[in-house]
Amino acid sequence: MDIRQRLLAAFDLEHKEHLSAIRTALREAEASGDAPDLVDIHRRAHSLKGAARAVDLPEVEAISHRLEAAFIAVQKGEIPLDAASVGVVRRALDAIEDLVAWSLQGGGGVETAGVLADLDALAGGRAGSVAPPAISPAASPADRRPMRERGGDADSAALVRIAAQGLERLSETASALLPEVEAQAGLGEQLRKMRQEWRALDRAWRHLRVQIGRDAVGEMGAGALEGRGALPALMAFERRFRALGGALDSAHRSHDRLLWSMRRWGGSLQQDMRRLRMLPAENQLSGLGRMIRDISRAEGKEVEVDVRGLEVEADRTVLQRLKDPILHIARNAISHGIETPAERLALGKRPAARVTIAASVEGARLRLRIEDDGRGLDRAAILRKAGERGLIDADELSTAGEMPLERLTEFLFHPGFSTASHTTELAGRGMGLAIARREVERLQGNLTIADGPGGGTAVTIEVPLSLLSQRLVFVAVQDQILAIPSADVVRLRTAAAGTLFSGVGTPMIRIGEEEIPVTSLAALLGMEAPVVPPAERGLALVVVRAADRRLALAVDRFVATRETVVTAAEETGLDAGRYLGTVLMDDGGPALVLNIPGLMPLPGSTLPPPARPAEEATPARAHILVVDDSITTRTLEKSILEAHGYRVTLCVDGREALERLSEGMEVGLIISDVEMPRMDGFALLQAVKADKRLAEIPVILVTSRASDEDRERGLRLGADAYIVKTRFDQNELLAGIRRLL
């Protein structure tokens, strides 16, 4: 069994090479009008037949034999190599690919009778020496089950089967360990400061001891200290003081040694878990070609699928979750973009359309590009539908010819948006692309649509290679710490403010041979832009990228670079268009992780200024009081509210909030949790509404208490809104704030 497994693995590589070469030769012949190298094609069909016999794949052997016979007939001029015969050959190649995939990975049975009949008709009966297999794949599943299920005990010493759930839990544990290890570095810093403080005390004690001795001798004589018992007490104190210093030094050394060891082994565990989860993309995506061909045939269209780069490796979970988005995109392309064979021939195209799926790795991201050579985006239909749905006003519609492609394609992701004239099983409901983007965003990635280089459409998906952890660049913006995935960062740069020059209404900076627009990250997030710095003052710039575009973001300062686990935006209710999620900082509070492609302004749009003049008056911002005993919830709400232009004050419970309000603090709105120590949200609400000075302040209760009784109690006490947070939903909260302010 071990020998056959090795042979089958070798055949897996060999058959792909032969199929790719035959498809390329036919495609190039169609494009140029010249005859393909029939001798090479015949040789490859013959090699496929022999290799299939060696690994006991009679179905593949039968199809390969008939292909060989057909090409012999073409070489002799007995049959033409026209569009019809090329179509039969392509279907045969697809069947071979499907049969090998079934043998390796399983799936539904592959129907071969129709392909064999077409090849027999094409070859004119020349293939009679090899009969079709007596046993079809679906007839005897016990004997023809996939090789991966028939390994027996041959590889039991090298391979073990574990439940995917167990692997996920182990991965989560490994991911949670890394931030905890890094948190120990903060303890080491505390120990270092304690040592510095002890040394300062030691110097002060030495000076004080000398002074005490001098004063005592001058007043009472040399034996006064010993006679009164003071000297032994001072000596005992000094011994204990020295022992404390030694213990502190020892603890610091031990902590440094343990921290080094934890980082070493924790990092090794993280890397081992990452490697354990990493699989070639082929493991999960190899069946895409077969699925897309089945979809196209159901639509009466011919599609040649070219899947490349499946040797790249990514996290198993990431690859699994990408299959559905890719299929949604393929369905959309087949239904909307790819023409029927007759339409393609009328347009001077090959009857069989081509869909290319290319996988590659760029930095720490997996990039998938799905291209087709169909009719491309129907701009007029998209704009017409956008106008019907009220997504674009009449003024914009009149100047729609100048609309950037990125803005136009954004309409396609609205749920229910479809340009199809009627609904079919594959398309017309307008949900495919919306579902695909949502799943990609759950993977902390991005999906974009553009024109294909040679016509048609190109869809690009970029996701992290692994969800275990990501390397992030932490920056300070005003009084917040924000994180940017390092995969989106081109470089960090400090430049004098005077080096900026004005582009077409936009400040620019020259870095190398490239001129890059500059804006303030604070202003991009809706915060208040910083004051214009003096020309000689340095600007901290983070140069980020999204696809082929670059932007320099001005921040207050660079903080750190760290590998850590990102909690997805979906789990905290964040806007996935602006944020990938959150990470926990050393103090237990969250930092927002920015979605750079989602924040990047559309081409042609006006960038917010990187700074504002010092004399410009600061616009009045609504002041919101956030009351919650959870540091995570407080920090998260503060970050989101400040990012939307509000000024925020935090309190840990109702009593502190009431004290601040009693001291005269003016606020425009209160957001309060219900369950808190000392004074809960209901008591705070009651006290606020009972005070004539405070009664007009709107109060929103945000709580996990979802019972009708609690809701009725809150509204009866005067709450202006009651939001149940099974998870934090920022959109509902922001909508309530806008309604009340």
Side-chain angles (χ1 to χ4, degrees), residues 4 41 70 438 516 543 559 726:
R4 184 167 184 253
I41 292 176
R438 183 179 178 187
I516 301 173
V543 182
V559 177
T726 51

Side-chain angles (χ1 to χ4, degrees), residues 29 73 152 202 346 571:
D202 182 48
E571 297 183 28

Side-chain angles (χ1 to χ4, degrees), residues 368-411:
L368 290 169
R369 188 172 173 88
I370 303 104
E371 295 183 14
D372 67 72
D373 63 352
R375 59 175 63 92
L377 296 169
D378 188 342
R379 287 170 166 75
I382 295 172
L383 288 169
R384 184 172 60 252
K385 191 68 177 182
E388 292 173 3
R389 296 195 56 186
L391 301 176
I392 183 173
D393 57 33
D395 292 338
E396 286 184 297
L397 199 55
S398 63
T399 59
E402 304 172 4
M403 183 178 291
L405 181 62
E406 287 86 348
R407 170 81 190 283
L408 186 73
T409 56
E410 279 299 310
F411 297 135

Side-chain angles (χ1 to χ4, degrees), residues 503-575:
V504 183
T506 302
M508 308 283 286
I509 188 169
R510 188 184 302 279
I511 299 180
E513 299 298 320
E514 193 173 7
E515 295 179 355
I516 301 173
V518 182
T519 188
S520 162
L521 179 55
L524 199 61
L525 291 169
M527 304 179 193
E528 183 180 310
V531 175
V532 174
E536 67 278 3
R537 181 184 167 188
L539 284 176
L541 299 176
V542 183
V543 182
V544 296
R545 65 180 163 208
D548 298 327
R549 298 169 59 204
R550 300 287 189 273
L551 184 63
L553 302 175
V555 300
D556 292 348
R557 68 180 190 280
F558 309 131
V559 177
T561 301
R562 184 191 305 170
E563 181 118 354
T564 188
V565 181
V566 178
T567 301
E570 181 193 29
E571 297 183 28
T572 49
L574 290 169
D575 177 6

Side-chain angles (χ1 to χ4, degrees), residues 12-13 15-16 104-105 148 279-287 309-312 319:
D12 185 35
L13 297 175
H15 95 282
K16 288 176 182 175
L104 284 169
Q105 298 177 3
R148 291 186 182 179
L279 295 172
E282 183 178 18
N283 184 276
Q284 298 292 330
L285 305 182
S286 60
L310 293 190
E311 71 279 0
V312 303
L319 294 172

